[in-house]
């Protein structure tokens, strides 16, 4: 980790609104560039209550003892974590919890300022009466730490006794090297005025007008012939490319003030064939008394394998590398899990339940550039006091009649998701495109469905 710090004296004009704004800015930086404190953590302290130099080091959890922010007693790190697991700090504990030592910032007297990225010490907390603020930023990336510190200092230095001034501090690293922080540096970039006009859509603007527009956006600009020299200050780390400058010009000019023109090349949008066919099938299924549902495209590994009595099916599913929950581990390879979950959640609705969905499933495919392939599937489910196999069979015939398809038939299958002897494959020509049947009681039990169900599912792509 790297630590970067700054301090500044505040004039007595700090109000409750500006104080709350300060805390809000800190939270926003934690959430976005700090990625919920996993990359950057910020601590703010009342400098008058502590004494430098400050030390950034690490200790085993039982050896860390201090009074956390807004707590009444001194406690060890493990005791704090037991309490924090029950409040809003719980998501941040996992960042350091598995480490044998925890990071700590202390002053020359051993007073704990913070335990980043979890909590500050109560001793140095800031308030409306604070007149000198010390800011410490710890991070896994020094560049991100610098961006965060520059942003805070640039935004709140206007509240200093001498506006827009701060006091830098000297950082002594573990190897003995030193550097001053924050840098608050600017950089100069040159852009072609004509190109800025063309890309922003303001073709009649002069270089001087462009410079005025950029000044409105906190970018100091000057004209150098046909070029614009733009000074990008420490509070505008979001300016990464010329397109960011063009966007600022358009914002300052006003999007609604940019003349609307027809493109030189005419393009006419056309609905994709598979979507057009999908809409036709949706209308037909709705006319047959079925209700459309829209379910999640992600599900658990068990939903597409074990719960359907096909354990090996998980091998063909696209895995999510870092799932946030067990419910979203893979991309669905069938629409059936979502349909059964919908039926389970609507058991109290009038029977029978007649549901359908027309949507994509995803499977692995080594022949494609991405290693995966989407297929448009149709799935219909009937749940009632009887199994309703004849209903989904009739629905299949109706859809095939609408599609003017005659070269199809069904043949018995041994698919384990179906009740023995009550399942069939749908064959188009000589190729299997889907299946239908009465679901096995074990499948229904896995999805907490208490009604007998029949299901129809097939691939719509062969009909496009």
């Amino acid at each position: 980790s790297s630590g970067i710090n700054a301090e500044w004296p505040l004039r007595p004009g700090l109000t409750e609104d500006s104080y709350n704004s300060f805390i809000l800015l800190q939270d926003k930086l934690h959430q976005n560039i700090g990625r919920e404190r996993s990359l950057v953590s910020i601590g703010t302290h009342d400098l008058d209550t502590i004494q430098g130099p400050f030390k950034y080091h690490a200790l085993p959890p039982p050896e860390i003892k201090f009074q956390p922010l807004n707590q009444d007693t001194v406690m060890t790190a493990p005791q704090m974590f037991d309490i924090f697991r029950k409040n809003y700090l719980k998501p941040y504990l996992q960042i350091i919890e598995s480490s044998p030592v925890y990071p700590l910032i202390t002053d020359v007297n051993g007073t704990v300022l913070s335990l980043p990225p979890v909590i500050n010490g109560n001793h140095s907390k800031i308030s409306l009466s604070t007149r000198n603020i010390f800011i410490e930023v710890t991070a896994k990336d020094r560049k991100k730490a610098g961006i965060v510190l520059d942003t805070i200092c640039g935004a709140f230095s206007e509240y200093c006794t001498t506006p827009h001034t701060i006091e830098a501090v000297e950082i002594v690293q573990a190897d003995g090297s030193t550097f001053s922080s924050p840098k608050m540096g600017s950089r100069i970039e040159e852009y072609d005025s004509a190109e800025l006009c063309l890309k922003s859509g303001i073709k009649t603007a002069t270089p001087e007008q462009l410079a005025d527009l950029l000044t409105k956006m906190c970018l100091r600009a000057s004209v150098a012939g046909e070029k614009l020299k733009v000074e990008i200050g420490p509070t505008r780390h979001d300016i990464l490319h010329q397109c960011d400058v063009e966007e600022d010009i358009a914002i300052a000019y006003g999007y609604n003030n940019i003349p609307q023109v027809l493109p030189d090349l005419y393009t006419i949008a056309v609905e994709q064939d598979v979507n057009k066919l999908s809409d036709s099938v949706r209308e037909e299924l709705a006319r047959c008394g079925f209700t459309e549902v829209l379910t999640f495209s992600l599900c658990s590994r068990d939903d597409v394998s074990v719960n359907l009595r096909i354990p090996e099916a998980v091998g063909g599913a696209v895995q999510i590398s870092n799932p946030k929950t067990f419910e979203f581990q893979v991309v669905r390879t069938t629409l059936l899990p979502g349909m059964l979950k919908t039926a389970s959640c609507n058991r109290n609705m009038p029977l029978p339940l007649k549901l359908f969905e027309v949507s994509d499933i995803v499977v692995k495919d080594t022949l494609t550039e991405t290693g995966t392939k989407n297929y448009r599937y149709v799935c219909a489910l009937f749940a009632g006091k009887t199994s309703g196999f004849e209903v989904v069979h009739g629905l299949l015939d109706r859809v095939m009649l609408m599609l003017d398809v005659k070269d199809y038939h069904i043949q018995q299958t041994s698919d384990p998701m179906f009740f023995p002897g009550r399942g069939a494959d749908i064959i188009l020509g000589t190729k299997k495109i889907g299946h239908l049947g009465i679901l096995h009681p074990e499948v229904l039990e896995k999805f907490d469905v208490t009604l007998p169900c029949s299901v129809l599912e097939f691939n719509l792509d062969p009909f496009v």
Side-chain angles (χ1 to χ4, degrees), residues 78-79 84 133 149 163 184 189 209 244 272 276 345 369 380 389 414 426 434:
Q79 291 172 332
F84 297 157
I133 291 182
L149 189 58
M184 298 298 288
E189 299 286 353
Q209 290 173 325
D244 298 312
Q272 292 184 349
K276 189 174 182 179
C345 294
E369 182 181 359
F389 178 82
S414 57
I426 304 170

Side-chain angles (χ1 to χ4, degrees), residues 25-42 137 139 141 143-149 151 237-238:
L25 174 61
Q26 183 177 334
D27 289 340
K28 290 294 184 183
L29 290 171
H30 274 150
Q31 292 169 17
N32 46 58
I33 192 172
R35 295 292 187 271
E36 299 291 346
R37 305 191 193 181
S38 63
L39 298 179
V40 179
S41 176
I42 310 164
V137 177
D141 184 310
K143 181 175 179 61
K144 287 185 173 61
I147 291 173
V148 168
L149 189 58
T151 301
H237 287 280
D238 59 308

Side-chain angles (χ1 to χ4, degrees), residues 289-316:
F290 282 71
T291 301
E292 184 175 13
V293 299
L294 186 63
T295 61
F296 290 117
S297 58
L298 301 181
C299 58
S300 70
R301 295 186 184 93
D302 289 347
D303 283 346
V304 297
S305 56
V306 176
N307 292 350
L308 296 179
R309 304 181 77 235
I310 317 173
E312 67 277 7
V314 73

